[in-house]
Amino acid sequence: FDSCIAEIRWWHKGIKKIDYLVLSHAHPDHMNGLKSVVKNFKIGEFWEACIPPNNKGYALFKATLPAGLSHKTIFRGDKITLGKVKIKVLHPDRSRKAITSVHNNQSLVLKLTYKNTSFLLTGDIELEAEAEIIASGEDLKSQVLKSPHHGSISSSSLDFLQAVSPQIILISVGNNNPYNLPSVQILERYAQIGADVYQTNIHGAIELKSNGKSISVCTYK
């Protein structure tokens, strides 16, 4: 997710406030871009799950948040209703709250449902967390899937993809990144399930709109 491109789009639309700022997990590539968002927009509430102690990068990020900002820690089983949008937290489990280091499998996984449309946001979860979520028995089916871990081979098991059965997959990935993401094998797997795939390195900012019945995609590159 290129926060600079997204911010330009938000400014163009006259958006000055982010109602809910969500940190998936405290790895720099998910955390540092939020510093600019905090600097340039009013934030209504901050959500996170696992809180790493003695982590300098995390401490620096938290220091950028406005004093007195409403803060919520959320874990599997929590349910939040925002108007007509229902949010279910699928991961991580509350038992992971006490951590010593940051790992991809601590990522928040949220399922957003608006009428007959749904979106699954997965952070950087890997195969272990995917299996754990499947085993929970939750209904994972969603029209939109945010590709786990930037399209890495460490994620997007076929079992997980079949459980989600997405029509649209979004891959947040940098151009010419040193990890050669997304994985060619994973792109082939996405093609195998018949999903339309959008990548930030190819399409730039990706905007989704839903009226509760259908979802439209608009790209800006």
Side-chain angles (χ1 to χ4, degrees):
F1 183 84
D2 191 325
S3 62
C4 292
I5 295 176
E7 287 178 30
I8 291 170
R9 292 303 310 166
W10 297 337
W11 290 330
H12 181 72
K13 290 176 176 291
I15 296 172
K16 298 180 180 179
K17 180 184 178 183
I18 305 299
D19 293 328
Y20 304 95
L21 184 73
V22 182
L23 175 63
S24 63
H25 63 304
H27 274 159
D29 60 325
H30 286 249
M31 184 169 58
N32 289 344
L34 297 185
K35 294 177 184 177
S36 178
V37 176
V38 171
K39 179 180 178 181
N40 292 297
F41 296 87
K42 183 177 179 180
I43 307 300
E45 189 168 275
F46 173 63
W47 297 358
E48 64 180 340
C50 303
I51 300 174
N54 305 317
N55 183 299
K56 292 183 179 179
Y58 174 79
L60 288 171
F61 163 69
K62 288 298 289 286
T64 68
L65 298 178
L69 177 67
S70 178
H71 170 247
K72 183 178 292 184
T73 54
I74 53 178
F75 293 92
R76 177 180 295 142
D78 289 340
K79 298 178 182 179
I80 303 165
T81 299
L82 304 175
K84 295 181 180 180
V85 177
K86 296 180 179 179
I87 302 175
K88 184 176 287 188
V89 184
L90 303 182
H91 192 76
D93 186 79
R94 196 171 296 274
S95 63
R96 293 177 180 256
K97 184 174 183 178
I99 61 173
T100 56
S101 60
V102 182
H103 190 276
N104 289 332
N105 282 326
Q106 298 161 359
S107 295
L108 268 171
V109 177
L110 305 178
K111 181 177 180 181
L112 282 63
T113 302
Y114 174 53
K115 297 182 180 180
N116 295 322
T117 60
S118 52
F119 307 74
L120 190 64
L121 310 179
T122 61
D124 274 356
I125 59 168
E126 299 181 352
L127 301 176
E128 176 190 337
E130 290 179 359
E132 195 176 318
I133 294 169
I134 293 171
S136 73
E138 291 284 357
D139 178 15
L140 303 181
K141 287 193 179 300
S142 304
Q143 286 96 332
V144 177
L145 170 67
K146 182 271 176 189
S147 174
H149 199 194
H150 315 284
S152 168
I153 193 63
S154 66
S155 310
S156 295
S157 67
L158 190 55
D159 286 345
F160 185 73
L161 294 176
Q162 290 174 338
V164 180
S165 190
Q167 300 167 12
I168 299 168
I169 297 178
L170 310 179
I171 305 177
S172 173
V173 65
N175 197 32
N176 297 319
N177 66 85
Y179 306 104
N180 295 316
L181 296 175
S183 161
V184 173
Q185 185 175 339
I186 291 302
L187 291 177
E188 291 173 349
R189 194 172 295 170
Y190 291 165
Q192 180 181 343
I193 65 170
D196 293 328
V197 178
Y198 296 87
Q199 303 177 203
T200 55
N201 62 325
I202 295 175
H203 301 100
I206 303 166
E207 181 179 286
L208 302 182
K209 294 182 179 180
S210 173
N211 58 10
K213 296 181 181 179
S214 61
I215 298 169
S216 61
V217 181
C218 185
T219 64
Y220 292 95
K221 189 173 182 180

